[in-house]
Amino acid sequence: MDRFTLPPDIIEPANPNKPIELYVFVDPLCHDCWELQPMIRKLQIEYGKYFTLRYIIRTKLRLIESEQPEEHEEFCHPLLPSIAIKAAEYQGKKAGNLFLSKIQEAFFLEHKNVTKLGCLLSVAEKSRLDMEEFVQDLNSPEVLKSFQCDLYISREMEVDIVPSIVYFNERIEDEGLKVSGSYPYAVYEKILEELIGSELVRNEPPELDVLLTQYDSLATKEIAAIYQISEKAAESELKKRMLQQNIECEAFKNTKLWRTKKFKTT
C-alpha cells in the first residue's frame, strides 16, 4: 500500500456529501478484477454514504498484427472490450457498470470471446443499451479519447497492477492511498475508516427482494456474504422466491446467478 500526492487536475471534484473518492482500476478480462466486484458491491451497500466510486479501465496496450481480421472475418481485437465499456459509459455511469459486469459474465462464466465485435454487440443488447447510440459511440473519436484518459490516469497514479483501488479524501492536497492487488474485505473497510477518521456506521442491507432489484444479477456466494449467512441458507431463501416465480436462476459450473424476472436475458 502506497501513499502519494497528485496534481489536483487529475482528481475529479468530490461529492461534498461523500468525503471519500475511490478510483477502482480494472482490466475487464482479469479474473482477480472480476473477483473484486462482489466486495465493491458489499462496500457500497454497507458504506456507500461515505464515498463515490469511479471505475478506471486499465488495459495493457500491445500491438497484435496477427489478430487483424482477414477479409470477411469478424472484427476482433484485445482492446475492443475496454473501448466498448467506455462507449457504454456514454449512456450513463450505471449503464457502463452494468455492461462491464455483463462482459465479465460472458467471458468468465459463458466462456465467450468478448474480443469479437459480434459478441460485444450481443452483450450490449443484454445490457439494455440503446444499440444505435452504442454502435455510433463505439466508432467515435471521443470514446477513444475517454479510454486514453483512463490510461493517462493509470500512468499518473502509477498503477501497474490490477485490480488496484486508490482512495482520496475531500482534501485533495492530502496524500492518496493506493491499494494494489486483492485483499480481504476487512482491509478495504479498515482503510475507509482510517480516511474518515472515525468509526464507520454500517448500513444494514436492504430486504432480499429489494436487493435483487438493485443489481442485474447476484451470485449465491455474494448474497450470503452481504447478509452474513451461509450459502445454504441464502439458496434456501432464493429458491422460495423462484418457486413464487419472482426470480430466476442461471446455473454455471461453479456458481449460480439470481435475477428478478424483469432482468431476463433470453
Side-chain angles (χ1 to χ4, degrees):
M1 299 183 192
D2 304 316
R3 291 185 179 274
F4 60 93
T5 56
L6 284 172
D9 64 336
I10 200 173
I11 308 171
E12 289 188 348
N15 183 329
N17 299 317
K18 297 185 178 185
I20 305 299
E21 181 85 11
L22 267 61
Y23 283 64
V24 182
F25 293 80
V26 297
D27 182 330
L29 307 188
C30 165
H31 190 271
D32 287 343
C33 294
W34 183 51
E35 291 285 327
L36 180 69
Q37 291 281 26
M39 284 194 279
I40 293 295
R41 287 176 173 175
K42 183 174 170 61
L43 203 65
Q44 287 179 305
I45 290 167
E46 295 186 342
Y47 304 114
K49 61 187 174 185
Y50 294 108
F51 67 87
T52 56
L53 181 145
R54 178 183 175 187
Y55 282 105
I56 305 295
I57 304 302
R58 170 69 171 87
T59 303
K60 186 177 180 180
L61 282 170
R62 52 191 180 275
L63 181 62
I64 308 179
E65 294 182 359
S66 61
E67 294 197 16
Q68 295 302 314
E70 301 290 339
E71 189 177 358
H72 307 304
E73 185 180 343
E74 183 180 358
F75 182 73
C76 174
H77 195 279
L79 289 184
L80 198 53
S82 298
I83 295 171
I85 290 167
K86 304 310 294 183
E89 287 178 357
Y90 270 57
Q91 296 188 36
K93 184 176 180 180
K94 187 175 180 180
N97 292 347
L98 174 58
F99 185 69
L100 168 60
S101 177
K102 285 294 185 186
I103 282 181
Q104 292 173 320
E105 284 180 21
F107 185 69
F108 293 109
L109 297 179
E110 300 173 18
H111 307 293
K112 300 284 184 64
N113 184 355
V114 296
T115 67
K116 288 188 174 182
L117 178 59
C119 183
L120 288 171
L121 293 176
S122 176
V123 173
E125 287 180 344
K126 290 182 178 181
S127 303
R128 302 177 299 282
L129 293 178
D130 181 313
M131 293 304 296
E132 184 177 349
E133 183 179 340
F134 176 72
V135 171
Q136 182 177 340
D137 289 335
L138 194 57
N139 293 283
S140 74
E142 288 78 13
V143 163
L144 185 57
K145 288 178 183 177
S146 180
F147 175 55
Q148 290 171 336
C149 180
D150 276 15
L151 298 179
Y152 168 74
I153 292 173
S154 298
R155 282 197 308 273
E156 290 300 305
M157 294 190 183
E158 299 178 351
V159 173
D160 300 316
I161 298 171
V162 289
S164 289
I165 300 180
V166 178
Y167 293 73
F168 289 100
N169 64 28
E170 58 192 345
R171 300 180 298 275
I172 60 175
E173 70 276 6
D174 288 356
E175 293 178 319
L177 180 61
K178 180 172 63 182
V179 185
S180 301
S182 301
Y183 291 87
Y185 179 77
V187 172
Y188 301 109
E189 191 178 28
K190 186 64 179 177
I191 293 170
L192 185 61
E193 184 173 72
E194 177 188 328
L195 292 176
I196 292 293
S198 60
E199 185 177 352
L200 298 176
V201 178
R202 177 177 171 270
N203 288 332
E204 291 298 320
E207 294 292 329
L208 180 56
D209 294 320
V210 175
L211 180 72
L212 287 164
T213 66
Q214 293 178 347
Y215 296 96
D216 174 75
S217 61
L218 292 162
T220 311
K221 182 178 180 180
E222 187 174 4
I223 292 169
I226 289 170
Y227 292 103
Q228 298 182 17
I229 59 177
S230 68
E231 288 188 49
K232 184 177 179 180
E235 186 156 330
S236 176
E237 289 299 318
L238 289 159
K239 283 182 176 178
K240 290 177 187 177
R241 288 159 174 80
M242 189 168 66
L243 288 172
Q244 296 167 352
Q245 298 187 343
N246 294 327
I247 66 173
E248 59 187 2
C249 176
E250 192 172 3
F252 298 94
K253 184 177 179 180
N254 297 314
T255 191
K256 291 179 180 177
L257 293 182
W258 306 83
R259 55 173 57 89
T260 59
K261 289 287 187 177
K262 71 175 182 178
F263 289 133
K264 199 168 184 180
T265 59
T266 57

